[in-house]
Amino acid sequence: MTGTIDTTNELAAFLRTRRERLAPEDAGVPQRRRRRTPGLRREEVADLAGVSVDYVVRLEQGRGLRPSPEVLEALARALRLSEDERSYLFDLAQQRPTNRQPSTSQAGSLARLVLDLSPLPAMLVNHRLDILAWNPELAELMIDFGTVPEHQRNSLWLCLMHPAFRDFYRDRERIVREGIADLRAAWAARPDDDGLGRLVGELNTGSEEFARSWELRDVRVNGRGTKALRHPRVGDLTIEFEVLSPLQEPDQRLVVYRAADAASQVALDVIAHAAAKRRPTLRAM
């Protein structure tokens, strides 16, 4: 895999996978006869989107077309794309207007905010899911990121490659798939980000788990949710997470964790007590 994305071929593959996984009944297409393969036919997509069959064929073959925003909207409706998938489609076609400014590499005042959020575990990540800052509670909940080499300090890389996280997530398969779907959205939005391309290439080569999920081409930006954890010291607990996007640093995200239930709150209280001894050790890249 190269350092940057081949948007033409990725657009073709994305359209094919979404067509093949969309059931005719979900698209409002009547079934007149049994189908040998699942999903919609190209002519059905063409009819729903109001374009020619030849146009759909050329798009799916990656033959250098750059569809207009109007055609992309029609394809998104025809394929019943989610909002995140629609944004991904527009990014691949380089048709989504953006005023995105490059994010600074320093966490700055947001790193101080991470510390102020104690006793809630919190961290600051960028669009690549690199961990820029964290507080002592997060270090106690997960791992002391200060002991991890800087180039490995990435939440998805750690989940897939670090032995401490092998059994950490009780619902590991879902967590991995959601993390990869989130990374894929960033990958399409920033096709010239060599660092992001290298990360995708490294994970694709080094993790069969990543490679399998990456080929699914799922796209989802995770703004909130729950994670079931197996902590080596306090046992099983479930956390809720919330992701906040600072207006002046759109490529950075503030991730805050809370207990999902009373038993998990007891576990987080134990973690917070242990973290109090680490209070001065906040790090920022």
Side-chain angles (χ1 to χ4, degrees):
M1 180 173 292
T2 59
T4 55
I5 181 174
D6 183 337
T7 53
T8 299
N9 286 333
E10 180 57 30
L11 175 63
F14 182 66
L15 289 173
R16 285 196 307 271
T17 59
R18 288 309 173 275
R19 175 177 61 80
E20 291 167 356
R21 70 168 59 177
L22 180 61
E25 58 269 23
D26 293 335
V29 175
Q31 299 188 62
R32 298 183 179 88
R33 60 183 183 274
R34 291 188 61 183
R35 294 171 180 252
R36 295 180 180 178
T37 57
L40 294 181
R41 299 185 178 93
R42 291 188 179 95
E43 55 267 28
E44 291 167 339
V45 172
D47 183 59
L48 290 169
V51 298
S52 70
V53 177
D54 180 64
Y55 192 85
V56 173
V57 170
R58 285 185 291 155
L59 276 176
E60 290 194 1
Q61 290 178 347
R63 289 162 56 183
L65 297 179
R66 190 185 181 196
S68 68
E70 293 76 17
V71 169
L72 293 173
E73 286 286 4
L75 289 169
R77 289 194 300 271
L79 295 171
R80 302 296 195 266
L81 299 186
S82 69
E83 188 59 33
D84 290 335
E85 290 171 329
R86 176 189 172 278
S87 296
Y88 184 72
L89 179 69
F90 272 70
D91 282 332
L92 291 175
Q94 301 176 45
Q95 291 285 15
R96 184 158 64 134
T98 177
N99 57 1
R100 181 184 295 116
Q101 298 296 318
S103 180
T104 61
S105 59
Q106 297 296 319
S109 62
L110 291 174
R112 294 191 294 274
L113 177 59
V114 170
L115 186 59
D116 291 340
L117 285 167
S118 295
L120 293 176
M123 65 178 172
L124 185 70
V125 302
N126 63 14
H127 65 279
R128 301 187 194 104
L129 306 181
D130 295 328
I131 301 166
L132 306 179
W134 61 95
N135 62 11
E137 287 77 9
L138 191 74
E140 288 290 335
L141 177 64
M142 294 187 174
I143 190 175
D144 183 355
F145 298 109
T147 65
V148 177
E150 186 173 315
H151 73 279
Q152 298 177 359
R153 216 174 286 162
N154 176 280
S155 60
L156 188 55
W157 191 98
L158 290 169
C159 179
L160 290 164
M161 310 289 277
H162 198 288
F165 288 87
R166 189 163 294 134
D167 299 314
F168 184 69
Y169 294 106
R170 288 184 282 147
D171 49 354
R172 178 182 174 85
E173 182 178 354
R174 176 179 67 84
I175 297 300
V176 168
R177 285 189 60 171
E178 289 182 355
I180 293 172
D182 197 313
L183 190 70
R184 182 174 276 281
W187 186 65
R190 300 161 180 84
D192 298 323
D193 186 334
D194 290 339
L196 181 52
R198 285 192 297 272
L199 173 65
V200 171
E202 179 183 357
L203 292 175
N204 200 53
T205 301
S207 169
E208 292 183 6
E209 196 173 11
F210 179 91
R212 287 194 304 270
S213 290
W214 187 256
E215 283 303 308
L216 296 174
R217 290 183 166 79
D218 289 335
V219 183
R220 178 184 176 187
V221 179
N222 301 310
R224 61 170 57 94
T226 61
K227 296 181 180 181
L229 311 180
R230 181 171 292 111
H231 194 275
R233 192 171 66 257
V234 301
D236 290 354
L237 71 156
T238 302
I239 57 170
E240 298 175 343
F241 67 90
E242 192 79 28
V243 181
L244 308 175
S245 297
L247 287 175
Q248 292 187 320
E249 291 289 353
D251 280 355
Q252 295 183 4
R253 308 180 196 177
L254 184 64
V255 186
V256 185
Y257 296 93
R258 297 175 296 178
D261 51 54
S264 298
Q265 184 61 61
V266 172
L268 280 187
D269 289 342
V270 173
I271 288 171
H273 180 74
K277 302 173 185 178
R278 307 165 62 105
R279 192 74 58 196
T281 64
L282 175 73
R283 296 285 190 91
M285 292 171 59

